[in-house]
Amino acid sequence: MRGLSQIPGFRSLFGPAAPNPGATADEGLIGSVTGLPDGGRQIRIRSAAQARAELKRPDDGPTEQRRLLPIRHATREQGTFRAYFQKGRTLVRQDRWDLLARLIRETDRLRETSPAGIRMAEVLAAGARSDMVSSARKAIHCGAEPSGAWLTDLDGAAAEGGWPEAVTVARLHMDLAWLYHGDLPPVAQPRTPHPEFIRHFERAAQLLDGYSPIEEASPMLAEARIALLANDPAAPARMRDDFEDLIDLDPANPGPLRNFGLYMLPRWFGSDAEAIGDAAAQTADRLADIWGDGAYSWIWLDALSTEAETAAHCDAARFRRGLFDILERRPGQEVANLLAGFCALAMAPGRAPARLTPEARATRELLHAAAGPIIEHHMTEIRPEIWLRGARPALALPEEQVSPADLAADAAQIAAIVKARRSGALRH
């Protein structure tokens, strides 16, 4: 994720290395930071049961083994994202669209995703169009229109190729369209679309016309057609069927489930939060053999992060059960940190508006409390960048730009939680 490592003092937010690893000033807290020989950091934590046992021990001090949570800033997942992104960019720079198309098709066929649901075929395509998006961004910032010559050539190449080329160039048109409404990832459907927004989306729709996600068995193509809904007057009527098709194509991927709930918000294509609850319950029942109650939680996850008041219509108990169903089926540290970030940051009391209804506040409090057992029983390391993705659903591809001020504020919260939150003997 770009931007986080450039924040001045980000790592210092987690405190300097303790001068004496055996010191007890911060013991009993998640976030007592000690140095490692290789320059890394570890978090010393203990449970309430351990703390009580220590109080009964003689003055010669504790001898028990304590669990350490290392802080990892660079992870294998991030390296994988960058490798796929760079591969897509390099192939386009070499004009190897034929090889790029084969890689996208095969990666999509194998349903390769990150643990949190980011589609690696889309990362390839994002890298392929990144140079052109960067060039267009600079032109638009300067008040000029992006050069149309290279875009015309790409349109021609996409028309002559198969669906991987068409999806890549169609996504490029959608990227360019959104640039007219700001640099950051879109958080809502534009109320008054810019004329260029409409033009680029219409061209993207033309490129994808004639390709069927079902016939091609392509989740990537299904996601691209859902992205077209931003400029489709019939989007509210189509959205649910389109998402059900996508989920059927890739039911084990949490990404479509998360976007389903997000797009059901009124700021996108939905009507009210009650409809999200109905869709989440029906989808969870349909996918119970894969996710247990986890699909219910995935559908609500980004909707709750985005609109606090929707929590009044969420079944908090089922959501909480779903969190641990997810962790049982996806025990990796990326998912554990993502869900911990959601519970600890996105559901934090300070993020809720003052006039939140008691029902919504109670749901958020229950989910916020789930951070404890997730950290205690499912985490073996702290990944601050992944916590930020849990708190901010728009953070997806590694090259998306994020406000440094927002990241710094969230990083400070993570540091406070990691350093000061007591690790209780919590159960679920």
Side-chain angles (χ1 to χ4, degrees), residues 181-267:
H181 290 276
D183 276 349
L184 297 177
V187 296
Q189 191 175 17
R191 292 183 178 179
T192 306
H194 191 282
E196 287 297 304
F197 179 95
I198 297 172
R199 185 177 73 83
H200 280 292
F201 262 87
E202 288 177 346
R203 182 60 187 132
Q206 291 170 1
L207 289 170
L208 295 179
D209 188 34
Y211 292 109
S212 166
I214 304 301
E215 292 178 5
E216 300 289 349
S218 169
M220 184 181 181
L221 184 55
E223 286 185 337
R225 297 196 70 87
I226 287 173
L228 289 175
L229 296 177
N231 190 53
D232 188 345
R238 284 188 47 195
M239 182 266 298
R240 187 159 178 167
D241 287 341
D242 286 357
F243 265 104
E244 288 177 356
D245 289 343
L246 170 58
I247 291 167
D248 287 343
L249 284 168
D250 198 6
N253 182 3
L257 298 170
R258 295 176 66 182
N259 284 333
F260 188 18
L262 187 63
Y263 279 16
M264 288 193 73
L265 291 173
R267 64 171 61 197

Coordinates of all heavy atoms in Angstrom, one line a residue, residues 181-267:
H181 N -13.8 13.0 -10.9 CA -14.4 13.2 -9.6 C -13.5 13.0 -8.4 O -13.9 12.8 -7.3 CB -15.6 12.3 -9.5 CG -16.7 12.6 -10.4 ND1 -17.7 13.5 -10.1 CD2 -17.0 12.1 -11.7 CE1 -18.5 13.6 -11.2 NE2 -18.2 12.8 -12.1
G182 N -12.2 13.2 -8.7 CA -11.2 13.1 -7.6 C -10.2 12.0 -7.7 O -10.4 11.0 -8.4
D183 N -9.1 12.1 -6.9 CA -8.0 11.1 -7.0 C -8.3 9.9 -6.2 O -7.9 8.8 -6.5 CB -6.7 11.8 -6.5 CG -6.0 12.5 -7.6 OD1 -6.5 12.4 -8.8 OD2 -5.1 13.3 -7.3
L184 N -9.0 10.1 -5.0 CA -9.1 9.0 -4.1 C -10.1 7.9 -4.6 O -11.0 8.3 -5.5 CB -9.5 9.5 -2.7 CG -8.5 10.4 -2.0 CD1 -9.1 10.9 -0.7 CD2 -7.2 9.7 -1.8
P185 N -10.1 6.7 -4.1 CA -11.1 5.7 -4.6 C -12.5 6.2 -4.3 O -12.8 6.9 -3.3 CB -10.8 4.5 -3.7 CG -9.3 4.7 -3.3 CD -9.1 6.1 -3.2
P186 N -13.4 6.0 -5.2 CA -14.8 6.5 -5.1 C -15.5 5.9 -3.9 O -15.4 4.8 -3.6 CB -15.5 6.1 -6.4 CG -14.7 4.9 -6.9 CD -13.3 5.2 -6.5
V187 N -16.2 6.8 -3.2 CA -17.0 6.4 -2.0 C -18.5 6.5 -2.2 O -19.2 6.1 -1.3 CB -16.6 7.3 -0.8 CG1 -15.1 7.1 -0.4 CG2 -16.9 8.7 -1.0
A188 N -18.9 7.0 -3.4 CA -20.3 7.1 -3.6 C -20.5 7.3 -5.1 O -19.6 7.8 -5.8 CB -21.0 8.2 -2.8
Q189 N -21.7 7.0 -5.6 CA -22.1 7.3 -7.0 C -22.1 8.8 -7.1 O -22.7 9.5 -6.3 CB -23.4 6.7 -7.3 CG -23.8 6.7 -8.8 CD -25.1 5.9 -9.0 OE1 -25.8 5.7 -8.1 NE2 -25.3 5.6 -10.3
P190 N -21.6 9.4 -8.2 CA -21.6 10.9 -8.4 C -23.0 11.4 -8.6 O -23.8 10.8 -9.3 CB -20.7 11.1 -9.6 CG -20.7 9.8 -10.3 CD -20.8 8.8 -9.3
R191 N -23.4 12.4 -7.9 CA -24.8 13.0 -8.0 C -25.0 13.6 -9.4 O -26.0 13.5 -10.0 CB -25.0 14.0 -6.9 CG -25.1 13.4 -5.5 CD -25.4 14.5 -4.5 NE -25.5 13.9 -3.2 CZ -25.8 14.6 -2.1 NH1 -26.0 16.0 -2.2 NH2 -25.8 14.1 -0.9
T192 N -23.9 14.4 -9.8 CA -24.0 15.0 -11.2 C -22.8 14.6 -11.9 O -21.7 15.2 -11.8 CB -24.1 16.5 -11.0 OG1 -25.1 16.9 -10.2 CG2 -24.2 17.2 -12.4
P193 N -22.8 13.5 -12.7 CA -21.6 13.0 -13.4 C -21.1 14.0 -14.4 O -21.8 14.7 -15.1 CB -22.1 11.8 -14.1 CG -23.4 11.4 -13.4 CD -24.0 12.6 -12.9
H194 N -19.7 14.1 -14.4 CA -19.1 14.9 -15.4 C -19.3 14.4 -16.8 O -19.4 13.1 -16.9 CB -17.6 14.9 -15.1 CG -16.7 15.9 -15.8 ND1 -16.4 15.7 -17.2 CD2 -16.2 17.1 -15.5 CE1 -15.7 16.8 -17.6 NE2 -15.5 17.6 -16.6
P195 N -19.4 15.2 -17.8 CA -19.7 14.7 -19.2 C -18.6 13.6 -19.6 O -19.0 12.7 -20.3 CB -19.6 15.9 -20.0 CG -20.0 17.0 -19.1 CD -19.5 16.7 -17.8
E196 N -17.4 13.8 -19.2 CA -16.3 12.9 -19.5 C -16.5 11.6 -18.8 O -16.2 10.5 -19.3 CB -14.9 13.4 -19.2 CG -14.5 14.5 -20.2 CD -14.4 13.9 -21.7 OE1 -13.7 12.9 -21.9 OE2 -15.1 14.5 -22.6
F197 N -17.1 11.6 -17.6 CA -17.4 10.4 -16.8 C -18.4 9.6 -17.6 O -18.2 8.4 -17.8 CB -18.0 10.8 -15.5 CG -18.4 9.7 -14.6 CD1 -17.6 9.2 -13.6 CD2 -19.7 9.1 -14.7 CE1 -17.9 8.1 -12.8 CE2 -20.1 8.0 -13.9 CZ -19.2 7.5 -12.9
I198 N -19.4 10.2 -18.1 CA -20.4 9.5 -18.9 C -19.8 8.9 -20.2 O -20.1 7.8 -20.5 CB -21.6 10.4 -19.2 CG1 -22.3 10.9 -17.9 CG2 -22.6 9.8 -20.1 CD1 -23.4 12.0 -18.1
R199 N -19.0 9.7 -20.8 CA -18.5 9.3 -22.1 C -17.6 8.1 -21.9 O -17.7 7.1 -22.7 CB -17.7 10.4 -22.8 CG -17.1 10.1 -24.2 CD -16.4 11.3 -24.8 NE -15.1 11.5 -24.1 CZ -14.0 10.8 -24.5 NH1 -14.0 9.9 -25.4 NH2 -12.8 11.1 -23.9
H200 N -16.7 8.1 -20.9 CA -15.8 7.0 -20.7 C -16.6 5.7 -20.3 O -16.2 4.6 -20.7 CB -14.7 7.3 -19.7 CG -13.6 8.2 -20.2 ND1 -12.7 7.7 -21.1 CD2 -13.2 9.5 -20.0 CE1 -11.8 8.6 -21.5 NE2 -12.1 9.7 -20.8
F201 N -17.6 5.9 -19.5 CA -18.3 4.7 -19.1 C -19.1 4.1 -20.2 O -19.2 2.9 -20.3 CB -19.3 5.1 -17.9 CG -18.8 4.7 -16.5 CD1 -17.9 5.6 -15.9 CD2 -19.0 3.4 -16.0 CE1 -17.4 5.2 -14.6 CE2 -18.5 3.1 -14.8 CZ -17.7 4.0 -14.1
E202 N -19.6 5.0 -21.1 CA -20.3 4.4 -22.3 C -19.3 3.7 -23.2 O -19.7 2.6 -23.7 CB -21.0 5.6 -23.0 CG -22.2 6.2 -22.3 CD -22.8 7.4 -23.1 OE1 -22.1 7.9 -24.0 OE2 -23.9 7.8 -22.7
R203 N -18.1 4.2 -23.3 CA -17.1 3.4 -24.1 C -16.8 2.1 -23.5 O -16.6 1.1 -24.1 CB -15.9 4.3 -24.3 CG -14.8 3.6 -25.2 CD -15.4 3.4 -26.6 NE -14.4 2.6 -27.4 CZ -14.8 1.5 -28.1 NH1 -16.0 1.1 -28.1 NH2 -13.9 0.9 -28.8
A204 N -16.6 2.1 -22.1 CA -16.3 0.8 -21.4 C -17.5 -0.2 -21.6 O -17.2 -1.4 -21.8 CB -16.2 1.1 -19.9
A205 N -18.7 0.3 -21.6 CA -19.8 -0.6 -21.8 C -19.8 -1.2 -23.2 O -20.1 -2.4 -23.4 CB -21.1 0.1 -21.5
Q206 N -19.4 -0.4 -24.2 CA -19.3 -0.9 -25.5 C -18.3 -2.0 -25.7 O -18.5 -3.0 -26.4 CB -19.0 0.2 -26.5 CG -20.1 1.3 -26.7 CD -19.7 2.5 -27.4 OE1 -18.5 2.6 -27.9 NE2 -20.6 3.4 -27.6
L207 N -17.2 -1.8 -25.0 CA -16.1 -2.8 -25.0 C -16.5 -4.2 -24.4 O -16.1 -5.2 -24.9 CB -14.8 -2.3 -24.3 CG -14.1 -1.2 -25.1 CD1 -13.0 -0.6 -24.1 CD2 -13.4 -1.7 -26.3
L208 N -17.3 -4.1 -23.4 CA -17.7 -5.3 -22.7 C -19.0 -5.9 -23.3 O -19.3 -7.1 -22.9 CB -17.9 -5.0 -21.2 CG -16.7 -4.6 -20.4 CD1 -17.1 -4.3 -19.0 CD2 -15.6 -5.7 -20.5
D209 N -19.7 -5.2 -24.1 CA -20.9 -5.7 -24.7 C -20.6 -7.0 -25.5 O -19.6 -7.0 -26.3 CB -21.5 -4.6 -25.6 CG -22.9 -5.0 -26.1 OD1 -23.6 -5.7 -25.3 OD2 -23.3 -4.7 -27.2
G210 N -21.4 -8.0 -25.4 CA -21.1 -9.2 -26.1 C -20.4 -10.3 -25.3 O -20.3 -11.4 -25.8
Y211 N -19.8 -9.9 -24.2 CA -19.1 -10.9 -23.4 C -20.0 -11.3 -22.2 O -20.5 -10.4 -21.5 CB -17.8 -10.4 -22.9 CG -16.7 -10.2 -23.9 CD1 -16.4 -8.9 -24.3 CD2 -16.2 -11.3 -24.5 CE1 -15.4 -8.7 -25.3 CE2 -15.2 -11.1 -25.5 CZ -14.8 -9.9 -25.9 OH -13.9 -9.7 -26.9
S212 N -20.2 -12.5 -22.0 CA -21.1 -13.0 -20.9 C -20.2 -13.6 -19.8 O -19.5 -14.5 -20.0 CB -22.1 -14.1 -21.4 OG -22.7 -14.7 -20.3
P213 N -20.3 -13.0 -18.5 CA -19.5 -13.6 -17.5 C -19.9 -15.1 -17.2 O -19.0 -15.9 -16.9 CB -19.9 -12.8 -16.3 CG -20.4 -11.5 -16.8 CD -21.0 -11.9 -18.1
I214 N -21.1 -15.5 -17.4 CA -21.5 -16.8 -17.2 C -20.9 -17.8 -18.3 O -20.4 -18.8 -18.0 CB -23.1 -17.0 -17.2 CG1 -23.7 -16.0 -16.1 CG2 -23.5 -18.4 -16.9 CD1 -23.2 -16.3 -14.7
E215 N -21.0 -17.4 -19.5 CA -20.5 -18.2 -20.6 C -19.0 -18.3 -20.5 O -18.4 -19.4 -20.8 CB -20.9 -17.6 -22.0 CG -22.4 -17.7 -22.3 CD -22.8 -17.0 -23.6 OE1 -21.8 -16.6 -24.3 OE2 -24.0 -17.0 -23.9
E216 N -18.3 -17.2 -20.1 CA -16.9 -17.2 -20.0 C -16.4 -17.8 -18.6 O -15.2 -18.0 -18.4 CB -16.3 -15.8 -20.1 CG -16.6 -15.2 -21.5 CD -15.8 -15.8 -22.6 OE1 -14.9 -16.6 -22.4 OE2 -16.2 -15.5 -23.8
A217 N -17.4 -18.0 -17.7 CA -17.0 -18.5 -16.4 C -16.0 -17.6 -15.7 O -15.0 -18.1 -15.1 CB -16.6 -20.0 -16.4
S218 N -16.2 -16.3 -15.9 CA -15.2 -15.3 -15.4 C -15.7 -14.4 -14.4 O -16.5 -13.5 -14.6 CB -14.7 -14.5 -16.7 OG -13.9 -13.4 -16.2
P219 N -15.2 -14.6 -13.1 CA -15.5 -13.6 -12.1 C -15.0 -12.2 -12.4 O -15.7 -11.2 -12.0 CB -14.9 -14.2 -10.8 CG -14.6 -15.6 -11.1 CD -14.4 -15.7 -12.6
M220 N -13.9 -12.1 -13.0 CA -13.3 -10.8 -13.3 C -14.2 -10.0 -14.3 O -14.4 -8.8 -14.1 CB -11.9 -10.9 -13.9 CG -11.2 -9.6 -14.2 SD -9.6 -9.9 -14.9 CE -9.0 -8.2 -15.1
L221 N -14.7 -10.7 -15.3 CA -15.6 -10.1 -16.2 C -16.9 -9.7 -15.5 O -17.5 -8.6 -15.8 CB -15.9 -11.1 -17.4 CG -16.8 -10.6 -18.5 CD1 -16.3 -9.3 -19.1 CD2 -16.9 -11.7 -19.6
A222 N -17.4 -10.5 -14.6 CA -18.6 -10.2 -13.8 C -18.4 -9.0 -13.0 O -19.3 -8.1 -12.9 CB -19.0 -11.4 -13.0
E223 N -17.3 -8.8 -12.4 CA -17.0 -7.7 -11.5 C -16.9 -6.4 -12.4 O -17.3 -5.3 -12.0 CB -15.7 -7.9 -10.8 CG -15.8 -8.8 -9.6 CD -14.5 -8.9 -8.8 OE1 -13.5 -8.6 -9.3 OE2 -14.6 -9.3 -7.6
A224 N -16.3 -6.5 -13.6 CA -16.2 -5.4 -14.5 C -17.6 -4.9 -14.9 O -17.9 -3.7 -15.0 CB -15.4 -5.7 -15.7
R225 N -18.6 -5.8 -15.1 CA -19.9 -5.4 -15.5 C -20.6 -4.8 -14.3 O -21.5 -3.9 -14.5 CB -20.7 -6.7 -16.0 CG -20.1 -7.3 -17.3 CD -21.0 -8.2 -18.0 NE -22.1 -7.5 -18.6 CZ -22.1 -6.9 -19.8 NH1 -21.1 -7.0 -20.6 NH2 -23.2 -6.3 -20.2
I226 N -20.3 -5.3 -13.1 CA -20.9 -4.6 -11.9 C -20.4 -3.2 -11.8 O -21.1 -2.2 -11.4 CB -20.6 -5.4 -10.7 CG1 -21.5 -6.7 -10.7 CG2 -20.8 -4.6 -9.4 CD1 -21.2 -7.7 -9.6
A227 N -19.1 -3.0 -12.1 CA -18.5 -1.6 -12.0 C -19.2 -0.7 -13.0 O -19.3 0.5 -12.7 CB -17.0 -1.7 -12.3
L228 N -19.7 -1.2 -14.1 CA -20.5 -0.4 -15.1 C -21.8 0.2 -14.5 O -22.3 1.2 -15.0 CB -20.8 -1.2 -16.3 CG -19.6 -1.5 -17.2 CD1 -20.2 -2.4 -18.4 CD2 -19.0 -0.3 -17.8
L229 N -22.3 -0.3 -13.4 CA -23.5 0.1 -12.8 C -23.4 1.6 -12.4 O -24.5 2.2 -12.2 CB -23.9 -0.8 -11.6 CG -24.2 -2.2 -11.9 CD1 -24.5 -3.0 -10.7 CD2 -25.4 -2.3 -12.9
A230 N -22.2 2.1 -12.2 CA -22.1 3.5 -11.7 C -22.7 4.5 -12.7 O -23.0 5.6 -12.4 CB -20.6 3.8 -11.5
N231 N -22.8 4.0 -14.0 CA -23.4 4.9 -15.0 C -24.7 4.3 -15.6 O -25.0 4.7 -16.7 CB -22.4 5.2 -16.1 CG -22.8 6.3 -17.0 OD1 -23.2 7.4 -16.6 ND2 -22.8 6.0 -18.3
D232 N -25.3 3.4 -14.9 CA -26.5 2.7 -15.4 C -27.8 3.1 -14.7 O -27.9 2.8 -13.5 CB -26.3 1.2 -15.3 CG -27.3 0.4 -16.1 OD1 -28.4 1.0 -16.4 OD2 -27.1 -0.8 -16.3
P233 N -28.7 3.8 -15.3 CA -30.0 4.2 -14.6 C -30.7 3.0 -14.1 O -31.5 3.1 -13.1 CB -30.8 4.9 -15.7 CG -29.8 5.3 -16.7 CD -28.7 4.2 -16.7
A234 N -30.5 1.8 -14.6 CA -31.2 0.6 -14.2 C -30.4 -0.1 -13.1 O -30.8 -1.3 -12.7 CB -31.5 -0.4 -15.3
A235 N -29.4 0.5 -12.6 CA -28.5 -0.2 -11.6 C -29.3 -0.7 -10.4 O -29.1 -1.9 -9.9 CB -27.4 0.7 -11.1
P236 N -30.2 0.0 -9.7 CA -30.9 -0.5 -8.5 C -31.7 -1.8 -8.8 O -31.7 -2.7 -8.0 CB -31.9 0.6 -8.2 CG -31.2 1.9 -8.7 CD -30.6 1.5 -10.0
A237 N -32.2 -1.9 -10.0 CA -33.0 -3.1 -10.3 C -32.0 -4.3 -10.7 O -32.4 -5.5 -10.5 CB -33.9 -2.9 -11.5
R238 N -30.9 -4.0 -11.3 CA -30.0 -5.0 -11.8 C -29.0 -5.5 -10.7 O -28.5 -6.6 -10.8 CB -29.2 -4.5 -13.0 CG -29.9 -4.4 -14.3 CD -28.9 -4.0 -15.3 NE -27.7 -4.9 -15.3 CZ -26.6 -4.6 -15.9 NH1 -26.5 -3.5 -16.6 NH2 -25.5 -5.4 -15.8
M239 N -28.6 -4.6 -9.8 CA -27.5 -4.9 -8.9 C -27.5 -6.2 -8.2 O -26.5 -7.0 -8.2 CB -27.3 -3.7 -7.9 CG -26.1 -3.8 -7.0 SD -26.5 -4.6 -5.4 CE -27.7 -3.4 -4.8
R240 N -28.6 -6.5 -7.6 CA -28.7 -7.7 -6.8 C -28.5 -9.0 -7.6 O -27.7 -9.9 -7.3 CB -30.0 -7.8 -6.0 CG -30.1 -9.0 -5.0 CD -31.1 -8.7 -4.0 NE -31.2 -9.8 -3.1 CZ -31.8 -9.8 -1.9 NH1 -32.4 -8.7 -1.5 NH2 -31.9 -10.9 -1.1
D241 N -29.1 -9.1 -8.8 CA -29.0 -10.2 -9.7 C -27.5 -10.3 -10.2 O -27.0 -11.5 -10.2 CB -29.9 -10.1 -10.9 CG -31.4 -10.4 -10.5 OD1 -31.6 -11.0 -9.4 OD2 -32.3 -10.0 -11.3
D242 N -26.9 -9.2 -10.5 CA -25.5 -9.2 -11.0 C -24.6 -9.8 -9.9 O -23.7 -10.5 -10.2 CB -25.1 -7.8 -11.4 CG -25.7 -7.4 -12.7 OD1 -26.4 -8.2 -13.3 OD2 -25.5 -6.3 -13.2
F243 N -24.8 -9.3 -8.6 CA -24.0 -9.8 -7.6 C -24.2 -11.3 -7.3 O -23.2 -12.0 -7.0 CB -24.2 -9.0 -6.3 CG -23.2 -7.9 -6.2 CD1 -23.5 -6.6 -6.4 CD2 -21.9 -8.1 -5.8 CE1 -22.6 -5.5 -6.3 CE2 -20.9 -7.1 -5.6 CZ -21.3 -5.8 -5.9
E244 N -25.4 -11.7 -7.4 CA -25.7 -13.2 -7.2 C -25.0 -14.0 -8.2 O -24.4 -15.1 -7.9 CB -27.2 -13.4 -7.1 CG -27.9 -12.9 -5.9 CD -29.4 -13.1 -5.9 OE1 -29.9 -13.6 -6.9 OE2 -30.0 -12.8 -4.9
D245 N -24.9 -13.5 -9.5 CA -24.2 -14.2 -10.5 C -22.7 -14.3 -10.2 O -22.0 -15.3 -10.3 CB -24.4 -13.6 -11.9 CG -25.8 -13.8 -12.4 OD1 -26.5 -14.7 -11.9 OD2 -26.2 -13.0 -13.3
L246 N -22.2 -13.1 -9.7 CA -20.7 -13.1 -9.4 C -20.4 -14.0 -8.2 O -19.4 -14.8 -8.3 CB -20.4 -11.6 -9.1 CG -19.0 -11.4 -8.4 CD1 -17.9 -11.9 -9.4 CD2 -18.7 -10.0 -8.1
I247 N -21.2 -14.0 -7.2 CA -21.0 -14.8 -6.0 C -21.1 -16.3 -6.4 O -20.3 -17.1 -5.9 CB -21.9 -14.4 -4.9 CG1 -21.6 -13.0 -4.4 CG2 -21.9 -15.5 -3.8 CD1 -22.7 -12.4 -3.5
D248 N -22.0 -16.7 -7.3 CA -22.1 -18.0 -7.7 C -20.8 -18.5 -8.5 O -20.4 -19.6 -8.4 CB -23.3 -18.2 -8.6 CG -24.6 -18.2 -7.8 OD1 -24.5 -18.4 -6.5 OD2 -25.7 -18.0 -8.4
L249 N -20.2 -17.5 -9.2 CA -19.0 -17.9 -9.9 C -17.8 -18.1 -9.0 O -16.9 -18.8 -9.3 CB -18.7 -16.7 -10.9 CG -19.5 -16.7 -12.2 CD1 -19.3 -15.4 -12.9 CD2 -19.2 -17.9 -13.1
D250 N -17.8 -17.4 -7.8 CA -16.6 -17.4 -7.0 C -17.1 -17.4 -5.5 O -16.8 -16.4 -4.8 CB -15.7 -16.3 -7.3 CG -14.3 -16.5 -6.7 OD1 -14.0 -17.6 -6.2 OD2 -13.5 -15.6 -6.9
P251 N -17.8 -18.4 -5.0 CA -18.4 -18.3 -3.7 C -17.5 -18.2 -2.5 O -17.8 -17.7 -1.4 CB -19.3 -19.5 -3.6 CG -18.7 -20.5 -4.6 CD -18.1 -19.6 -5.7
A252 N -16.2 -18.7 -2.7 CA -15.3 -18.8 -1.6 C -14.5 -17.5 -1.5 O -13.7 -17.3 -0.6 CB -14.3 -19.9 -1.8
N253 N -14.7 -16.5 -2.4 CA -14.0 -15.2 -2.3 C -14.8 -14.2 -1.5 O -15.9 -13.9 -1.9 CB -13.8 -14.7 -3.8 CG -13.0 -13.4 -3.8 OD1 -12.5 -12.9 -2.8 ND2 -12.8 -12.9 -5.0
P254 N -14.2 -13.6 -0.5 CA -15.0 -12.6 0.3 C -15.1 -11.3 -0.4 O -16.0 -10.5 0.0 CB -14.2 -12.5 1.6 CG -12.8 -12.9 1.2 CD -12.9 -14.0 0.1
G255 N -14.3 -11.0 -1.4 CA -14.4 -9.7 -2.1 C -15.7 -9.4 -2.6 O -16.3 -8.3 -2.3
P256 N -16.4 -10.2 -3.4 CA -17.7 -9.9 -3.9 C -18.7 -9.8 -2.8 O -19.7 -8.9 -2.9 CB -18.1 -11.1 -4.8 CG -16.7 -11.6 -5.3 CD -15.8 -11.4 -4.1
L257 N -18.6 -10.5 -1.7 CA -19.5 -10.4 -0.6 C -19.4 -9.0 0.0 O -20.4 -8.4 0.4 CB -19.3 -11.5 0.4 CG -19.5 -12.9 -0.1 CD1 -18.9 -13.9 1.0 CD2 -20.9 -13.2 -0.4
R258 N -18.2 -8.6 0.2 CA -18.0 -7.2 0.8 C -18.5 -6.1 -0.1 O -19.2 -5.2 0.4 CB -16.5 -7.0 1.1 CG -15.9 -8.0 2.1 CD -14.4 -7.8 2.2 NE -14.1 -6.5 2.8 CZ -12.8 -6.0 2.9 NH1 -11.8 -6.7 2.6 NH2 -12.6 -4.8 3.5
N259 N -18.3 -6.2 -1.4 CA -18.8 -5.2 -2.3 C -20.3 -5.2 -2.4 O -20.9 -4.2 -2.6 CB -18.1 -5.4 -3.7 CG -16.7 -4.9 -3.7 OD1 -16.3 -4.1 -2.9 ND2 -15.9 -5.5 -4.6
F260 N -20.9 -6.4 -2.2 CA -22.3 -6.5 -2.3 C -23.0 -5.7 -1.2 O -23.9 -4.9 -1.5 CB -22.7 -8.0 -2.1 CG -24.2 -8.3 -2.4 CD1 -25.0 -7.5 -3.1 CD2 -24.7 -9.5 -1.9 CE1 -26.4 -7.8 -3.3 CE2 -26.0 -9.8 -2.1 CZ -26.9 -9.0 -2.8
G261 N -22.5 -5.8 0.0 CA -23.1 -5.0 1.1 C -22.8 -3.5 0.9 O -23.7 -2.7 1.1
L262 N -21.6 -3.2 0.4 CA -21.3 -1.8 0.2 C -22.2 -1.1 -0.9 O -22.7 0.0 -0.7 CB -19.8 -1.7 -0.2 CG -19.2 -0.3 -0.3 CD1 -19.2 0.4 1.0 CD2 -17.8 -0.3 -0.9
Y263 N -22.4 -1.9 -2.0 CA -23.2 -1.3 -3.1 C -24.7 -1.3 -2.8 O -25.4 -0.7 -3.5 CB -22.9 -2.1 -4.3 CG -21.6 -1.8 -5.1 CD1 -20.7 -1.0 -4.5 CD2 -21.4 -2.1 -6.4 CE1 -19.5 -0.6 -5.1 CE2 -20.3 -1.8 -7.1 CZ -19.3 -1.0 -6.4 OH -18.2 -0.7 -7.1
M264 N -25.1 -2.0 -1.7 CA -26.5 -1.9 -1.3 C -26.8 -0.7 -0.4 O -27.9 -0.4 -0.1 CB -26.9 -3.2 -0.5 CG -27.0 -4.4 -1.5 SD -27.8 -5.8 -0.7 CE -29.5 -5.2 -0.7
L265 N -25.8 0.1 -0.1 CA -26.0 1.4 0.6 C -26.7 2.4 -0.3 O -26.5 2.4 -1.6 CB -24.7 2.0 1.1 CG -24.0 1.2 2.2 CD1 -22.6 1.9 2.4 CD2 -24.8 1.2 3.5
P266 N -27.5 3.3 0.2 CA -28.2 4.3 -0.6 C -27.2 5.2 -1.4 O -27.6 5.7 -2.5 CB -29.0 5.1 0.4 CG -29.3 4.1 1.5 CD -28.0 3.3 1.6
R267 N -26.0 5.4 -0.9 CA -25.1 6.2 -1.6 C -24.6 5.5 -2.9 O -24.0 6.2 -3.8 CB -23.8 6.5 -0.7 CG -23.0 5.3 -0.4 CD -21.7 5.6 0.3 NE -21.9 6.3 1.5 CZ -21.0 7.0 2.2 NH1 -19.8 7.1 1.6 NH2 -21.2 7.6 3.3

